[in-house]
Amino acid sequence: MTTETTADPEIRRIRHLIGGGRSEPVTGETFETRDPHDNSLLGTVARGTAEDATRAIEAARAAFDDGPWPRMTPKERQKILHAVADNVESHLEELAMLETRDSGKIITQARHADIPRTAYNLRFFADYAAMAGNEAYPDGDLLSYTLYPPAGVVSAISPWNAPLMLASWKLAPALAFGNTAILKPAPQTPLTASRFGELALEAGLPEGVLNIVHGFGGDEVAGPLTTDPRVDRITFTGSTATGVRILRAAAPNLTPVSAELGGKSANIVFDDADLDVAVPESIRGIFAGNGQMCFAGSRLFVQRGILPEFLARFTAAAEEIVVGDPKDPATTLGPLIEQRHLDKVGGYVELARDEGGTVVSGGHRIREPGLAEGFYYAPTVISGLGNDSRTAQEEIFGPVETVIGFDTEEEALRLANANPYGLAGLLFTTDLDRAHRMVSRWKAGTVWVNCYLVRDLRLPFGGEGRSGIGREGGQYSREFFTEPRAVTLRIRPGR
Ligand code: NAD
């Protein structure tokens, strides 16, 4: 068990989970996690150091080297991971509310997307690992085939914007393919990870298979997770700057890193698009997740013939967004994660004004009664900037859309690709030929045509350029979380 309530049942005391038991930080130090809605205290959290991380690595190593997990059949692991998913589903409401309070994510999204998807991640990879095919090549007296033994100990480092969903996107394949893991959740959002650790143990996950350490980046708890030679894989989701640090840290041991990083994705709307689809999907494309989505289509390119109409409809829809307490199901945009991030987002809107942009809507912090203590920022639409402005080039990670006109297909593609990131793209057109032409030349790990955020987990997930290295999902996760081994066997001829 890692979570314990204090005298005030609303305030949680979060500790590490190491080797199946709750673990105090070696230094005894803690930090606070707060509710972005009103800055109230939600919990005090073990502030891990390198020593805590090393203990977690030792526990994961022992569970891998001597424990039952890697030796189970995929079917045996499948059964346990489904039991964990069942336990997540039977605590859906509790987990959704924890996520909403800790991250500011709106409750409808936590309840209908993040937590159900957490359970689905577990089920999908449990089934995939049990059912994936293995290629075998008989050739005369030779039989060649591939084995996929687990890689070993996995460090999983996750961000705050989709805390449990992204943690489970890493843990589910790592565990399903027989590895043991250490999860380090973002310090802003430790609550659901901690509760998940308890639910997994309750459901029968053997001790030491999943360890959780809390705290901060490279100089603190995360250090050994990226430098210890006993770690076999590092799966990281977060900012590009941190990704670069992790790749450097992992290089001396040649530890493979999967890095899912930032984005500044293009959303392209052609004049033949169905605006009844393009407008609401483009609204989701930037404002879902309170504007804090890696995928966000934060550079919105609209063909000039429809630019005035599109901008009017888009702005009207942005002004209908209900900003408020994320616990209220009527709310459609909650607060940003913390004061520092609010300052960053506000700073970018100031920059947009300095760069000559026009703030068509929003562009200010929200200080209405009931929201004044929280980190609320109005849905913001900016026009009048070029694609080469800093506002249009850098990841803001907030509810801020930059709208830019274009004339031709070629120009749209050039603008989309004129950015160092390459995570995603959104495209709205009813011309199928154009859609095919565009997606084949688009520098992006994922492209959605006339839709947004729907995903088949068998497809590769990841980014090009500064959006990351490697792909996860389906067979891509199997390749990353295993050590594929070529086996060639000579069969003796019959006598
Ligand atoms: P971040 O990089 O600040 O932190 C992510 C995690 O890394 C946290 O757990 C943090 O404590 C840890 N960390 C920080 N420094 C570290 C170090 N030196 N060594 C090891 N770990 C370290 O990112 P964030 O602010 O939590 O998340 C927002 C970013 O994540 C955005 O850039 C967003 O685009 C990106 N993101 C990407 C994806 C994707 O799939 N590509 C998904 C979600 C978020």
Side-chain angles (χ1 to χ4, degrees):
M1 296 280 161
T2 55
T3 311
E4 182 183 275
T5 45
T6 56
D8 177 349
E10 283 291 296
I11 313 274
R12 285 160 185 270
R13 190 169 164 211
I14 307 294
R15 297 188 232 172
H16 307 308
L17 172 70
I18 298 178
R22 184 192 299 155
S23 173
E24 293 291 349
V26 172
T27 60
E29 279 187 39
T30 59
F31 63 96
E32 293 177 344
T33 182
R34 290 181 171 272
D35 187 336
H37 164 62
D38 56 8
N39 205 21
S40 61
L41 184 63
L42 293 174
T44 57
V45 188
R47 181 168 187 150
T49 56
E51 249 181 286
D52 296 304
T54 302
R55 288 176 47 227
I57 292 167
E58 282 160 4
R61 193 73 254 169
F64 186 81
D65 292 340
D66 309 317
W69 190 252
R71 281 150 209 93
M72 285 182 188
T73 64
K75 274 199 182 128
E76 287 168 327
R77 289 195 291 263
Q78 182 187 27
K79 205 167 159 199
I80 294 175
L81 291 174
H82 273 284
V84 177
D86 291 343
N87 218 12
V88 166
E89 280 168 353
S90 56
H91 292 82
L92 188 148
E93 198 47 43
E94 178 197 347
L95 288 166
M97 196 48 86
L98 274 184
E99 201 74 299
T100 288
R101 297 205 62 192
D102 214 12
S103 70
K105 179 180 294 287
I106 58 174
I107 188 67
T108 45
Q109 195 182 341
R111 203 178 264 157
H112 300 296
D114 285 53
I115 307 303
R117 173 63 193 279
T118 296
Y120 184 64
N121 283 342
L122 290 159
R123 295 192 196 285
F124 171 83
F125 283 108
D127 293 352
Y128 190 93
M131 294 163 78
N134 267 18
E135 66 270 45
Y137 305 106
D139 180 14
D141 62 348
L142 294 178
L143 177 66
S144 301
Y145 61 95
T146 310
L147 278 182
Y148 292 95
V153 169
V154 172
S155 287
I157 302 174
S158 53
W160 47 259
N161 67 324
L164 192 57
M165 196 285 273
L166 284 172
S168 66
W169 173 246
K170 303 177 170 311
L171 294 176
L175 301 186
F177 293 113
N179 302 281
T180 59
I182 306 114
L183 169 68
K184 194 204 86 59
Q188 295 90 340
T189 53
L191 295 186
T192 47
S194 179
R195 186 72 182 113
F196 175 79
E198 297 170 351
L199 296 173
L201 281 177
E202 263 173 43
L205 193 72
E207 294 185 351
V209 170
L210 169 60
N211 305 275
I212 304 175
V213 289
H214 297 281
F216 297 87
D219 297 335
E220 297 198 18
V221 76
L225 301 183
T226 56
T227 56
D228 192 308
R230 293 168 295 182
V231 170
D232 301 290
R233 291 288 185 277
I234 300 164
T235 168
F236 169 72
T237 301
S239 64
T240 300
T242 306
V244 170
R245 277 184 215 113
I246 289 177
L247 283 156
R248 280 214 184 95
N253 294 324
L254 297 179
T255 310
V257 179
S258 167
E260 300 184 345
L261 309 178
K264 186 77 178 182
S265 299
N267 175 1
I268 301 179
V269 184
F270 281 94
D271 59 9
D272 61 19
D274 178 350
L275 293 194
D276 290 340
V277 174
V279 171
E281 290 292 48
S282 298
I283 287 284
R284 278 203 322 136
I286 184 65
F287 299 118
N290 306 341
Q292 304 165 131
M293 296 274 274
C294 56
F295 283 139
S298 46
R299 290 180 297 141
L300 176 50
F301 299 107
V302 183
Q303 203 160 15
R304 246 180 266 281
I306 56 162
L307 183 56
E309 183 196 350
F310 185 92
L311 192 57
R313 286 178 65 171
F314 184 81
T315 305
E319 284 167 2
E320 273 168 25
I321 287 173
V322 182
V323 182
D325 185 342
K327 297 187 288 303
D328 181 345
T331 295
T332 52
L333 192 109
L336 298 174
I337 186 72
E338 58 191 354
Q339 179 69 48
R340 200 160 52 112
H341 194 52
L342 180 73
D343 293 342
K344 176 185 160 186
V345 171
Y348 267 107
V349 176
E350 287 317 306
L351 173 71
R353 289 189 171 105
D354 291 347
E355 289 186 305
T358 304
V359 176
V360 182
S361 186
H364 56 87
R365 181 177 181 172
I366 292 184
R367 290 190 179 275
E368 279 168 21
L371 307 183
E373 301 302 316
F375 310 123
Y376 288 91
Y377 200 85
T380 298
V381 183
I382 295 169
S383 71
L385 288 176
N387 184 56
D388 52 0
S389 63
R390 276 185 58 204
T391 310
Q393 284 292 305
E394 297 175 14
E395 186 183 45
I396 300 174
F397 217 54
V400 179
E401 184 67 287
T402 310
V403 186
I404 299 172
F406 72 90
D407 291 305
T408 64
E409 182 180 317
E410 200 55 34
E411 184 190 4
L413 195 62
R414 185 176 53 70
L415 289 167
N417 288 341
N419 186 270
Y421 293 105
L423 190 60
L426 289 77
L427 171 62
F428 295 92
T429 179
T430 49
D431 180 339
L432 199 57
D433 295 325
R434 165 182 281 156
H436 279 291
R437 286 193 300 269
M438 295 285 292
V439 299
S440 68
R441 293 171 62 203
W442 202 314
K443 192 187 81 176
T446 297
V447 182
W448 283 285
V449 183
N450 297 325
C451 59
Y452 180 55
L453 282 188
V454 276
R455 254 177 59 65
D456 185 314
L457 303 193
R458 289 168 291 194
L459 293 187
F461 175 84
E464 296 188 25
R466 293 187 69 74
S467 289
I469 291 188
R471 296 290 187 274
E472 295 185 19
Q475 60 171 317
Y476 307 91
S477 292
R478 177 166 71 169
E479 270 163 33
F480 182 70
F481 289 112
T482 63
E483 211 47 274
R485 181 174 304 145
V487 181
T488 307
L489 208 139
R490 190 181 294 282
I491 301 156
R492 280 195 294 174
R495 298 183 187 139

